Amino acid sequence: MLPLGEIVDRLHRAYCEHIGVEFMFINERDVCDWIRSKFEPPEVFKLSEKDQRILLARLVRSTLFESFLATKWPSEKRFGLEGCEVLIPALKHIIDVSSESGVDYFVMGMPHRGRLNVLANVARQPLDQILCEFQPTKPKSNDEATVGSKSKHGDEHEGSGDVKYHLGMSLERSNHATGKEMTISIVANPSHLEACDPVVQGKTRAEQYYRGDKNGDHAMSILLHGDAAFAGQGVVYETFHLSDLPDYSTHGTIHVVVNNQIGFTTDPRVARSSPYCTDVAKVTNAPIFHVNADHPEAVMHVCQVAAEWRHKYHKDVVIDLVCYRRFGHNEADQPKYTQPKMYSVIDRHPPVLDQYSKKLIEQGIVTESEYMEEKRKYEEICNNANVKAKSETRSLSHWLDSPWKGFFSDNYKAEPNRTGVAMETLQHIGNAVSSLPPPDFTVHSGISRMLKGRRNLLESKQVDWALAEAMAFGSLLGDGCHVRLSGQDVERGTFSHRHHVIHDQGGDQTGTYCPINNLFPEKEVEYTVCNSSLSEFAILGFELGFSMHNPKALVCWEAQFGDFHNNAQCIIDQFISCGQEKWVRQTGIVLLLPHGYEGMGPEHSSARLERFLQLCSDDPDSEQVGNEAEILHDCNMQVVNCSTPANFFHVLRRQVAYPFRKPLVVMTPKSLLRLPAAQSSLDEMLPGTCFQWLLPDNKADPNTVKKLLFCSGKVYYDLLKKRDELGRTEQIAIARIEQLSPFPYDLVKQEVKRFHGANEITWAQEEPKNAGGWTYVQPRITTALTHEERELSVRYAGRPTAAATATGNKLSHQEEQTALLNDALTL
């Protein structure tokens, strides 16, 4: 029995010196007892002499790396680690402990501060490659990483690149402590500090999924944060809430907060309302370990406990490294403008290496000469790497965070890929998704009626959108391709059209049945369809990360309504549209965005088609030439607005058909889901068929047509119905541009030439004039008409410009719709 004074002293040493632990909010006694056992026993923080020497050597490398860069390139921005040099030994210790526990794949995400140091001393990126980024040279591109960037003319397209402190990488190496082989992948990140958090989680989940690592025993994620961003950016909260969801969990992430106690120039007292920057982690009962970064041995202990916690409980944990930022936001910034008192103290404060080396020398753990020799050796390594860097050319392959070994090929210059499927396969899939579940399964009467309707369609060899999608997904599974569909309410579908997961209405009403996963029992791939949390930013980022890992998978994210994607605009703008250009990283992710004007108001009408078209990098004044493969190969992303289920089927299958990957944005329908006129024949999906970039008007007579309309998507059926009512089929032709970007110049020219008597060309759309496709297609149709003998220009028919995407008044909507139809169909 210990006296009370001794108990108080022990608790004080455990919790009130260099470490503070928050865990009492966890409502599991055995878990809390486990945490106590890691901090309360005497001498628990003590390191062996060997570990102390390793820690010192790692601090030397962390500190001297920054001082080397500061000396050689004093005016360069590098967002150094000065003030938190202990981060490097901390991360290395987490990796050592996790490697010993069986982890061999680490996915890391971090902001720019300290990234170069982490690349050099944690991931062990070749130092000369890092120093090359400080040299004013262009990268070489004769490596696999840039095959996906080579233009159709054969020249190498290097892309815009990115600043060095945003770059990612992936490297296989052995772990020094355990001798085990491992992979470290650091995901590239823009200046949006926490944007890569869900991307890292998606990439980690993909690695776990494809290797059957159901508990995260072999692959894990480590996320680094800044204190201001951790507390201030909502995507942190969104990402935390993925941590225990069945189809999104990575079975425990170790979060390391580099707590500068300042955000750029903003003090904590005006940067957050919570006591600690880490309080957001409490929403998932993650233990939080606060530690003074000036006490490296205490830091090593909390890293040890964090890694053990993750291995034991497979849940998130947070390490709060309470440190400081020796310089300003970047090395050229003057922090005393806004924090004079803080930086007067920092100016006098000795670096952690000076403090720790002095301690070990005084204790006789190392000698002064041994310490100086350790510094000399690393300085020599840096100098040698700098000499080598001056004679080397940058290699883009070293900055690829998701390498797809053996995937890319120069042999992509083929004819349009035929994505049709054999009739027996289509019927097999159709029968499966239109049949009742097993006899012991009670189906809702509404589902029974829906399944009967599907069977009736199949008997007439017709498909609607739901059947076409199921056939695309099912046939890809049959080809050995994993399919993942994620988003809000995707299992049923926002508009109750999909029903890929059927729920048992009998028994305890908890059973589910997914017919698509019973199509090909002999195949080792499955269909993953999962309702997501009510998040767009984190979920789209997660699916992007998932798609980056394996090119031989179709990964789709569906918005509940198309315009909800603007909550994830950062992922679209900073990662999807330009990821290949900045980071030579390809992705085949598919965005399914419900779009269409049906009187549902400004928040449920437009998927903001114009924003995606604006992000496309093709030149409106330069006509693209080549076959489908060549044109798609050179684009940064594809934007389609399909008007038929068959075309939707083909564009999904085309997404994994070529030996390169490009993002695909699909404006998906709402009312067309059940419109009889918007059905396709199975014949349009058979072998030999493919995606149609433009659907011509085969009803109109080229000899009598006076006006040629181009449109895209759902408005086609409104125009068609009105044209028939007016009896103007012989005077007006309506062609559908199914793929807006890359633009089908040749097919537009072909359609214009076919209707040789047309003296007027009109683009019709249901969106306002300052939205939709008008500003994108108008200059491109004009370019297509450059050599046309007739004097033709493109006229607009549609809603007038508007600040809101659509009216909320149904009567106003109908009046606008009538006006645009009359305008488009007037001769």
Side-chain angles (χ1 to χ4, degrees):
M1 181 74 69
L2 292 174
L4 180 59
E6 177 63 20
I7 294 173
V8 171
D9 287 344
R10 286 193 181 187
L11 292 175
H12 188 277
R13 286 194 296 272
Y15 300 118
C16 301
E17 290 189 347
H18 310 312
I19 295 172
V21 184
E22 292 187 86
F23 66 97
M24 291 302 290
F25 50 81
I26 300 174
N27 54 7
E28 296 175 67
R29 177 64 181 271
D30 60 328
V31 172
C32 291
D33 288 345
W34 184 88
I35 294 174
R36 289 190 189 98
S37 72
K38 298 297 178 180
F39 290 95
E40 295 181 5
E43 304 296 319
V44 72
F45 303 145
K46 189 172 178 61
L47 293 182
S48 68
E49 289 190 10
K50 176 185 177 183
D51 289 338
Q52 288 176 310
R53 284 174 170 271
I54 291 173
L55 174 53
L56 178 64
R58 289 173 171 178
L59 274 175
V60 165
R61 290 187 169 230
S62 175
T63 305
L64 267 59
F65 176 81
E66 300 295 352
S67 63
F68 180 81
L69 297 184
T71 301
K72 294 293 184 181
W73 296 278
S75 62
E76 280 277 338
K77 285 184 181 180
R78 55 185 170 83
F79 296 94
L81 203 50
E82 290 94 341
C84 194
E85 293 92 342
V86 77
L87 176 68
I88 300 304
L91 292 174
K92 290 177 78 70
H93 193 56
I94 289 169
I95 290 171
D96 290 347
V97 176
S98 300
S99 175
E100 186 65 41
S101 300
V103 178
D104 58 21
Y105 197 98
F106 298 87
V107 185
M108 298 175 61
M110 65 180 299
H112 39 276
R113 187 177 184 219
R115 179 177 282 260
L116 296 177
N117 208 325
V118 171
L119 287 166
N121 289 313
V122 176
R124 295 222 297 261
Q125 179 80 336
L127 195 52
D128 54 287
Q129 282 296 326
I130 296 173
L131 300 184
C132 264
E133 294 298 317
F134 289 86
Q135 311 290 346
T137 59
K138 285 188 174 183
K140 68 180 180 181
S141 45
N142 58 343
D143 52 61
E144 186 183 72
T146 58
V147 170
S149 298
K150 192 182 295 181
S151 79
K152 60 181 173 289
H153 303 297
D155 58 316
E156 301 289 353
H157 175 59
E158 296 166 349
S160 63
D162 203 347
V163 291
K164 48 191 166 288
Y165 39 82
H166 288 173
L167 298 174
M169 51 73 69
S170 182
L171 194 69
E172 297 176 5
R173 67 172 180 84
S174 62
N175 178 268
H176 174 77
T178 64
K180 297 179 180 179
E181 292 300 310
M182 64 180 184
T183 299
I184 296 180
S185 175
I186 300 178
V187 172
N189 194 41
S191 287
H192 303 64
L193 301 173
E194 301 288 344
C196 73
D197 293 359
V199 181
V200 167
Q201 302 297 57
K203 182 172 166 58
T204 306
R205 174 71 184 209
E207 171 67 17
Q208 293 171 350
Y209 175 83
Y210 290 117
R211 68 190 294 181
D213 184 12
K214 294 185 177 181
N215 296 313
D217 293 324
H218 304 294
M220 67 174 284
S221 55
I222 302 173
L223 285 176
L224 279 65
H225 313 268
D227 52 315
F230 197 63
Q233 297 198 3
V235 70
V236 174
Y237 181 87
E238 292 184 35
T239 305
F240 261 104
H241 271 288
L242 304 181
S243 63
D244 207 27
L245 302 184
D247 291 296
Y248 301 89
S249 174
T250 56
H251 311 289
T253 297
I254 297 180
H255 300 263
V256 182
V257 179
V258 177
N259 188 347
N260 301 316
Q261 306 175 74
I262 186 173
F264 203 155
T265 66
T266 303
D267 292 321
R269 60 191 168 84
V270 293
R272 63 175 185 267
S273 297
S274 60
Y276 300 105
C277 65
T278 53
D279 286 341
V280 65
K282 294 178 182 177
V283 299
T284 56
N285 280 343
I288 302 165
F289 305 144
H290 307 275
V291 58
N292 187 335
D294 264 3
H295 291 269
E297 293 183 14
V299 173
M300 294 306 102
H301 182 70
V302 298
C303 291
Q304 176 87 25
V305 177
E308 291 175 355
W309 162 274
R310 195 266 170 193
H311 176 66
K312 182 175 179 63
Y313 293 107
H314 296 286
K315 292 183 179 295
D316 285 23
V317 58
V318 177
I319 299 170
D320 179 21
L321 286 177
V322 183
C323 58
Y324 60 93
R325 191 186 65 197
R326 184 162 291 278
F327 304 114
H329 177 63
N330 61 66
E331 289 71 24
D333 197 35
Q334 176 50 267
K336 285 187 177 179
Y337 290 156
T338 51
Q339 277 77 30
K341 186 174 182 179
M342 172 187 270
Y343 276 88
S344 293
V345 173
I346 289 173
D347 285 345
R348 300 189 301 269
H349 190 73
V352 65
L353 177 60
D354 292 356
Q355 297 179 55
Y356 193 61
S357 61
K358 181 181 178 181
K359 173 185 172 181
L360 294 193
I361 291 169
E362 288 175 351
Q363 291 178 349
I365 306 299
V366 296
T367 64
E368 179 77 29
S369 61
E370 287 174 328
Y371 169 57
M372 297 306 294
E373 176 62 15
E374 191 70 40
K375 293 175 69 174
R376 188 202 62 77
K377 285 193 299 184
Y378 191 66
E379 286 173 347
E380 184 179 359
I381 290 171
C382 291
N383 284 316
N384 290 341
N386 190 36
V387 171
K388 185 177 180 182
K390 290 177 180 178
S391 61
E392 276 201 6
T393 307
R394 293 161 58 203
S395 174
L396 292 173
S397 63
H398 285 102
W399 302 110
L400 190 60
D401 59 13
S402 301
W404 295 339
K405 292 182 179 178
F407 173 72
F408 294 109
S409 168
D410 284 322
N411 186 28
Y412 61 85
K413 297 181 179 181
E415 288 302 310
N417 200 290
R418 304 297 170 180
T419 46
V421 173
M423 179 65 82
E424 54 268 29
T425 302
L426 297 176
Q427 289 178 331
H428 170 61
I429 298 167
N431 288 333
V433 299
S434 62
S435 299
L436 291 168
D440 58 344
F441 203 95
T442 304
V443 179
H444 191 282
S445 58
I447 302 294
S448 296
R449 289 193 298 273
M450 180 271 296
L451 294 175
K452 183 179 179 181
R454 286 182 181 176
R455 291 195 295 274
N456 292 339
L457 275 175
L458 283 170
E459 288 173 4
S460 60
K461 294 190 175 181
Q462 294 288 112
V463 294
D464 61 7
W465 294 83
L467 268 174
E469 179 187 70
M471 289 175 175
F473 290 168
S475 59
L476 287 173
L477 293 175
D479 294 339
C481 175
H482 172 232
V483 178
R484 178 181 169 95
L485 173 63
S486 165
Q488 296 158 21
D489 312 298
V490 296
E491 294 178 6
R492 191 202 77 168
T494 301
F495 310 103
S496 196
H497 68 290
R498 182 174 288 125
H499 294 286
H500 284 181
V501 176
I502 300 175
H503 292 257
D504 192 354
Q505 307 294 313
D508 62 2
Q509 298 182 333
T510 60
T512 59
Y513 177 71
C514 179
I516 294 181
N517 266 331
N518 292 280
L519 289 171
F520 305 103
E522 73 282 2
K523 298 290 182 180
E524 294 183 357
V525 294
E526 66 176 350
Y527 172 45
T528 305
V529 55
C530 44
N531 289 342
S532 74
S533 65
L534 201 65
S535 158
E536 287 82 27
F537 193 159
I539 298 300
L540 180 55
F542 186 98
E543 300 309 331
L544 170 65
F546 202 102
S547 73
M548 285 160 42
H549 189 74
N550 177 16
K552 298 176 181 178
L554 181 70
V555 180
C556 307
W557 174 74
E558 182 176 72
Q560 192 179 70
F561 284 88
D563 48 347
F564 291 1
H565 76 75
N566 54 21
N567 284 326
Q569 199 68 44
C570 175
I571 296 295
I572 295 164
D573 289 350
Q574 311 305 135
F575 291 84
I576 293 175
S577 66
C578 56
Q580 180 176 349
E581 187 80 359
K582 293 193 297 186
W583 305 319
V584 291
R585 172 213 287 164
Q586 292 195 15
T587 171
I589 191 168
V590 179
L591 277 62
L592 304 175
L593 307 177
H595 175 83
Y597 281 61
E598 291 145 0
M600 297 183 71
E603 272 70 62
H604 295 95
S605 297
S606 174
R608 295 285 189 177
L609 170 63
E610 64 280 358
R611 291 185 179 174
F612 293 98
L613 294 174
Q614 187 183 42
L615 292 171
C616 295
S617 61
D618 59 313
D619 184 352
D621 301 320
S622 177
E623 184 178 336
Q624 296 157 298
V625 295
N627 61 33
E628 178 180 81
E630 293 171 315
I631 292 172
L632 291 179
H633 180 273
D634 286 355
C635 75
N636 67 315
M637 64 179 186
Q638 313 155 76
V639 181
V640 303
N641 191 6
C642 299
S643 63
T644 71
N647 242 5
F648 183 48
F649 165 87
H650 284 297
V651 80
L652 290 175
R653 285 186 50 80
R654 187 185 72 176
Q655 192 63 2
V656 293
Y658 287 117
F660 53 84
R661 293 291 177 263
K662 303 288 177 173
L664 171 65
V665 180
V666 185
M667 302 289 115
T668 56
K670 295 178 291 183
S671 62
L672 299 192
L673 295 170
R674 294 176 175 83
L675 184 69
Q679 295 173 358
S680 295
S681 167
L682 282 176
D683 293 340
E684 299 172 60
M685 299 156 65
L686 295 179
T689 59
C690 62
F691 177 75
Q692 302 298 305
W693 291 43
L694 183 148
L695 290 173
D697 189 337
N698 292 322
K699 288 185 178 180
D701 185 349
N703 296 311
T704 60
V705 165
K706 301 301 180 187
K707 184 174 188 177
L708 174 58
L709 289 181
F710 287 105
C711 66
S712 188
K714 170 246 173 192
V715 74
Y716 165 76
Y717 293 97
D718 300 327
L719 292 166
L720 187 66
K721 181 180 178 182
K722 187 68 175 179
R723 185 185 69 172
D724 291 346
E725 290 174 1
L726 296 173
R728 292 176 181 166
T729 304
E730 293 187 0
Q731 292 85 29
I732 300 175
I734 308 173
R736 290 166 276 176
I737 298 179
E738 300 281 285
Q739 175 149 315
L740 290 157
S741 185
F743 192 73
Y745 290 93
D746 56 337
L747 298 176
V748 169
K749 287 197 294 186
Q750 183 177 307
E751 196 72 350
V752 171
K753 287 186 182 299
R754 192 162 70 92
F755 292 102
H756 51 81
N759 53 27
E760 184 180 345
I761 295 177
T762 297
W763 169 260
Q765 67 177 40
E766 54 187 352
E767 303 88 353
K769 192 174 185 179
N770 57 326
W774 168 242
T775 56
Y776 179 86
V777 302
Q778 189 271 336
R780 287 164 176 79
I781 294 177
T782 301
T783 297
L785 297 176
T786 300
H787 301 294
E788 177 60 40
E789 294 178 0
R790 289 167 287 173
E791 290 189 10
L792 295 171
S793 60
V794 188
R795 181 177 159 273
Y796 172 80
R799 287 177 167 82
T801 57
T805 55
T807 176
N809 183 285
K810 287 213 169 188
L811 181 60
S812 298
H813 163 77
Q814 193 54 53
E815 289 175 348
E816 291 173 355
Q817 191 76 0
T818 300
L820 87 83
L821 295 176
N822 289 336
D823 186 22
L825 296 166
T826 297
L827 290 169

